Amino acid sequence: MSETDESAAGESPPVEETAADADGETAADVDEGASPTAGDRSVDGSSPDADLTALVEDDPDTHAGDDDGRYAPLEVEGLRKEFGGITAVDDVSFDVEEGTLTGLIGPNGAGKSTTFNLITGMLDPTEGTVRFNGEDITGLQPHEIANRGLARTFQIARELEEMTVLENMMLAPKGQIGESLWRSIMPVTRGSVREQETEQLERVWEVLDFFEIDHLADEYAGNLSGGQRKLLEMARALLTDPDVLLLDEPFAGVNPTLEKRLLEHIHELRERGYTFLIVEHDMDLIMNNCERVIVMHQGRILKDGTPAEIKESEEVIEAYLGGEV
């Protein structure tokens, strides 16, 4: 199975990019549904130019981020997926520790994106179990998994192109009482709906400021360039109230300036307790930024270890890296 998704640019011309925007036309999106905070964690948008450390308020009780007492919110055990006579994922087992940045690498056809799809409910496994925060989520629908705090991005953009950036963002928070028609029109509940929407709008603006795309709020998503869509997808991911984010090639098609910018956001969020599992083909990027690397080959786990251990593995060098890291 091919691991590389192809995406096409929107029919509308992209709006003018900033120096940090990408020239590429590939993009990604996330399942929709939640707020920008996890537990008591909140986003403080006191200033669009504020340092990243001031924009995400840590909750030490929920996300300690210390080596001591770390647990694995995501546990994958014996995952197997067959398509007819083809086994795309074969007995894959690993876990992802809280507050870490883990890379998942492998050549096209290794099973990386299929593994992501199995974890997030896009596909049902033939065998195996996925646990999130101790709960068996195997076979749940994608929106049910996202609502539990496990979010993902996609290789192909899935924004609602005929809606603005702000409108796309406002769709993300879960538990919106205004989605109920009777609550929206009944006098006794309309006040609560307006109050919640006001709070959500404030959070949306804070996240837009965090990713420095507030100037695009009124632009139609279909007019965004590939680089701008990358920023939008990350902003929406943060609004899904995630404990763990699975990022499927988040740097594909972006220029070096935007890549650096996205990495800064990811590292800052990781330091604040967010957990990341990233599929990426850029070997240097993975080796220089991830604490742990999982290598897949022909649907199976070939090697799981630190970047140094991966670089020194003859199996990896021979099977995937072509003799040189």
Side-chain angles (χ1 to χ4, degrees):
M1 173 173 292
S2 175
E3 289 298 319
T4 304
D5 292 316
E6 299 292 339
S7 63
E11 295 181 359
S12 302
V15 298
E16 183 177 355
E17 296 185 5
T18 65
D21 289 322
D23 296 327
E25 294 300 331
T26 59
D29 197 7
V30 297
D31 290 336
E32 296 163 7
S35 72
T37 63
D40 295 329
R41 187 173 56 231
S42 63
V43 179
D44 178 11
S46 57
S47 169
D49 299 322
D51 187 83
L52 292 179
T53 58
L55 288 169
V56 183
E57 181 179 317
D58 190 28
D59 179 353
D61 294 329
T62 305
H63 294 276
D66 295 328
D67 290 336
D68 295 335
R70 261 187 187 168
Y71 75 103
L74 178 61
E75 301 170 279
V76 175
E77 182 178 351
L79 273 191
R80 181 180 180 89
K81 182 61 180 179
E82 298 176 355
F83 296 96
I86 299 175
T87 301
V89 173
D90 187 6
D91 194 27
V92 166
S93 299
F94 62 87
D95 57 35
V96 177
E97 290 187 348
E98 178 193 29
T100 61
L101 206 168
T102 300
L104 181 62
I105 66 173
N108 289 339
K112 304 182 302 295
S113 289
T114 302
T115 299
F116 262 36
N117 289 335
L118 294 171
I119 292 171
T120 56
M122 304 297 292
L123 293 172
D124 291 328
T126 305
E127 296 178 9
T129 304
V130 179
R131 293 185 179 86
F132 183 63
N133 286 331
E135 177 186 2
D136 187 347
I137 62 170
T138 313
L140 293 183
Q141 293 299 307
H143 71 275
E144 295 175 313
I145 293 174
N147 285 340
R148 283 162 168 78
L150 178 60
R152 69 162 294 175
T153 65
F154 294 87
Q155 295 177 20
I156 299 176
R158 299 192 180 187
E159 295 90 352
L160 297 175
E161 296 186 351
E162 296 182 359
M163 300 182 72
T164 67
V165 168
L166 184 61
E167 290 168 338
N168 270 269
M169 294 283 287
M170 285 294 290
L171 289 174
K174 64 184 177 183
Q176 300 190 48
I177 58 178
E179 293 178 350
S180 171
L181 177 61
W182 71 268
R183 286 176 176 167
S184 298
I185 62 176
M186 292 294 290
V188 70
T189 56
R190 278 186 303 186
S192 297
V193 172
R194 287 195 296 267
E195 181 179 353
Q196 184 190 58
E197 287 181 347
T198 299
E199 294 174 354
Q200 290 173 344
L201 183 60
E202 291 176 355
R203 290 197 295 268
V204 165
W205 276 111
E206 289 165 1
V207 175
L208 288 173
D209 288 344
F210 183 86
F211 287 97
E212 303 174 57
I213 54 174
D214 53 303
H215 64 288
L216 298 173
D218 294 326
E219 186 60 60
Y220 288 106
N223 291 342
L224 300 183
S225 69
Q228 291 162 344
R229 292 187 183 194
K230 291 293 185 181
L231 293 173
L232 176 57
E233 72 159 346
M234 288 294 295
R236 282 172 44 131
L238 188 59
L239 279 175
T240 60
D241 194 15
D243 293 321
V244 177
L245 294 99
L246 278 63
L247 308 182
D248 199 349
E249 298 194 36
F251 308 104
V254 304
N255 65 28
T257 302
L258 178 58
E259 179 180 291
K260 179 180 178 182
R261 188 170 162 192
L262 288 172
L263 280 169
E264 288 175 350
H265 291 314
I266 290 172
H267 279 291
E268 178 61 30
L269 293 172
R270 184 197 61 79
E271 290 173 3
R272 294 294 177 174
Y274 289 86
T275 303
F276 291 89
L277 177 63
I278 302 179
V279 165
E280 178 57 47
H281 285 290
D282 187 329
M283 184 62 60
D284 289 336
L285 188 150
I286 289 293
M287 293 298 180
N288 293 331
N289 290 278
C290 293
E291 301 142 281
R292 177 180 166 213
V293 180
I294 301 169
V295 183
M296 292 190 68
H297 182 60
Q298 297 181 347
R300 300 180 65 89
I301 300 295
L302 179 64
K303 184 72 174 179
D304 182 345
T306 66
E309 291 170 339
I310 298 301
K311 289 180 180 181
E312 295 172 358
S313 170
E314 293 185 4
E315 288 181 304
V316 174
I317 293 172
E318 293 175 2
Y320 175 58
L321 300 178
E324 181 179 356
V325 178

